[in-house]
Amino acid sequence: MNKMAAYWDGYGYYEPIKPIEVKGGIKAKSKRGSFVQSWWAKRWIKTLESFNLGARLSRGKSYARKGQVTSIKIETGLVRAKVQGSDPRPYSVTIKENEVPNGISLQKNLL
């Protein structure tokens, strides 16, 4: 049996567990390679990467590509989502941005 190796995320070692599949989830447009296309979305991802989130950001990208996002609400400077992981109940994710440049649409650039 192929067993995936445990990984370290800065808080401890974890055995990978596959998420519960979501039917009709919200999927990111990219399947591989660059996660986003626009300059602003690339800057957003680079900023998130600077927070040293360990494996969490990579897992988040993977979940987004697989359609594990069950709902998303985007407001000025705020993104809230429900994500289906390996637990039976989806978990909440909130990203708050204090300043969003004029004319930038989070909805258009993140989905």
Side-chain angles (χ1 to χ4, degrees):
M1 173 180 197
N2 267 344
K3 185 176 178 184
M4 297 166 59
Y7 61 90
W8 172 259
D9 77 348
Y11 296 98
Y13 285 97
Y14 298 89
E15 293 291 330
I17 300 173
K18 291 191 178 205
I20 297 169
E21 187 176 334
V22 173
K23 300 251 189 271
I26 302 165
K27 287 186 178 185
K29 291 178 184 176
S30 72
K31 298 294 182 201
R32 66 173 104 129
S34 180
F35 189 71
V36 294
Q37 300 299 317
S38 73
W39 69 268
W40 190 86
K42 287 178 183 179
R43 186 171 168 189
W44 175 271
I45 295 295
K46 187 173 182 174
T47 299
L48 290 176
E49 289 170 344
S50 75
F51 296 139
N52 295 321
L53 300 172
R56 290 186 173 126
L57 186 57
S58 295
R59 186 169 53 247
K61 289 177 184 178
S62 175
Y63 280 10
R65 286 181 169 135
K66 291 177 183 175
Q68 295 301 115
V69 178
T70 62
S71 68
I72 189 165
K73 184 175 182 180
I74 302 173
E75 302 169 16
T76 302
L78 185 67
V79 179
R80 292 182 187 186
K82 292 283 187 181
V83 179
Q84 180 63 61
S86 56
D87 195 67
R89 289 189 344 219
Y91 60 90
S92 297
V93 176
T94 302
I95 302 172
K96 184 177 180 183
E97 175 63 39
N98 291 332
E99 283 188 44
V100 178
N102 287 338
I104 297 297
S105 165
L106 288 177
Q107 179 98 26
K108 181 179 176 186
N109 286 295
L110 293 180
L111 297 178

